[in-house]
Amino acid sequence: MAYSEKVIDHYNNPRNVGSFQKDADDVGTGIVGAPECGDVMKLQIKVENDTIVDAKFKTFGCGSAIASSSLATEWLKGKSLEQAQKIKNTDIVQELNLPPVKIHCSVLAEDAIKAALGDYQKKAIEKKPNPAEAVASS
Amino acid sequence: MKLPIYLDNHSTTPCDPRVLEMMLPYFTEKFGNAASRNHSFGWEAEEGVEVARKQIAHLIHADAKEIIFTSGATESDNLALQGVVEMYREKGDHIITSSTEHRAVIDTAKYLEKKGIKVTFLPVDKAGMVSPDDVRNAITDKTILISIMMANNEIGTINPVAAIGKVAKEKGILFHCDATQGVGKIPVNVQEMGIDLMSFTAHKIYGPKGVGALYVRRKAPRVRLEAMMYGGGHERGMRSGTLAVPLIVGFGKACELCEQEMAAESVRMMKMRDRLQEGIMGKMDEVYLNGHPTERLPNNLNISFAYVEGEALLMGVKEIALSSGSACTSATLEPSYVLRALGVGSDLAHSSIRFGLGRFNTDEEVEYTIDRMIKAVTHLREMSPLYEMAKEGVDLKSVQWAAH
Ligand SMILES: Cc1ncc(COP(=O)(O)O)c(C=O)c1O
Ligand code: FES
């Protein structure tokens, strides 16, 4: 299969490869996929005041999966949590010119974004005392 | 050294220039139909075919009359299985084959299953070998055919064909062997190996695409086949259709060259292959050889590079033509069934690369490939979450993956 130039560029020069401390309060981590399926994506966001200030990824998967997650980290940086929720796999497909057989790689990237956002939000809720409870107990 | 480098010689091989040269006149001045008995055009074509038939038969120690021309090994496999089953259906309804056969055998066997034939798909051991004892134990009084390949196209493992042939002889059951990857690469002798039917093809041995052969034993026993193609009654009535004379002439020449050069060529292949294996495996951790360490085609190397996905790896070495058992490269999105049959985990099957050396590869290309593979694997491992986890000491098998 011939890859689009954008996929090749992300493959050769992946943006934001790396990891953040998983247990840091300002970090959200999403790990999706499984080794048996041939694809595992780890996507992490670092959040300040509801804005994603940094993002990193590591991906085990085909070139399109690598490019999808690399692109996702680029897009996430600077976005608010709300904006980040709106990133769709179809946007990735369009930007990278993915053929139909590679659509699932972009779906995985969307899942990874959602998982990272979910992880961050879960942590944020656990960290902050629930305001309603706080009132009730005072 | 010229790029790209071709290292996918199990898939197909380039036509040897000496083969092409032999073929060319048969497209133009010697264009006759080998079945035309009444003029010199026909005689000339027939002579070309008969010379080729002898060259081909000689390479496998058969008689020229036992060679049936087909369009390739896929057709030969189909004709062997379907032709035998139809002809001997009254004697029994059971055939034995293995789980690592080429799709041309597996899918034909599955088709026959739908038609009411019972099929045993024998397992293979960790190195990909079929055990002759398993063959023996699978035989029933209804067994009419055993079909086991000579050498596997992915992992290169060579089966104990002669021992399986012996079992078949003892029990009086026909033995078909798909020798597509073996012929021309390793010595093949249908007498000593007890083979009754054998498939092979020209394009894997530096001949043209579109022509193959089915060896059909004529004596002890005389094998009969129901044809799949009806028509002019060519090829002893087993395969009608005007012979592809130029292709057949090329097939013959290709076999002749293999016979003359095999001894030296296989030594050269093995040297290059061993260097490739040592160069890659000696320099990286967590790389695994798939297939048999020694009972293997001289030109085959199949390696799994843990924590990196095969298609991504191929993309990293774009200027080298290779193939992978990864699901991402297959239409079915399933990883290689051959590797799975060996008990290789799905994760490592996704990470497998097949190197297939050939007549026209050089030592320089091998060195280049070693260097590029190491760089590409290192690049990908740096971005692999699995490699990171493994390095941190996480047992990947214990992780609850969000499978999809
Ligand atoms: C073991 C084996 N059998 C059969 C075939 C099919 O050969 P052909 O391409 O001539 O139909 C191949 C080639 O891929 C093969 O490797
Ligand atoms: S990860 Fe398998 S096709 Fe992309």
Side-chain angles (χ1 to χ4, degrees), chain A residues 3 11 19 36 42 59 102, chain B residues 311-312 316 350 379 383 388:
Chain A
Y3 294 97
Y11 177 92
S19 303
E36 292 74 36
K42 184 180 85 167
T59 290
K102 296 294 176 184
Chain B
E311 188 186 308
H350 285 294
H379 174 66
M383 14 174 172
E388 178 182 71

Side-chain angles (χ1 to χ4, degrees), chain B residues 47-58:
Chain B
E47 195 192 312
V49 167
E50 292 319 313
V51 168
R53 217 186 277 280
K54 286 204 188 84
Q55 291 167 319
I56 296 163
H58 203 258

Side-chain angles (χ1 to χ4, degrees), chain B residues 359-394:
Chain B
R359 183 174 289 168
F360 302 105
N361 290 123
T362 63
D363 292 336
E364 197 185 1
E365 289 176 334
V366 168
E367 294 306 320
Y368 179 88
T369 302
I370 293 170
D371 188 54
R372 293 290 296 119
M373 288 309 295
I374 293 173
K375 288 208 176 92
V377 171
T378 308
H379 174 66
L380 286 170
R381 281 185 173 172
E382 273 161 19
M383 14 174 172
S384 167
L386 303 179
Y387 191 61
E388 178 182 71
M389 289 164 92
K391 290 283 125 179
E392 285 167 358
V394 177

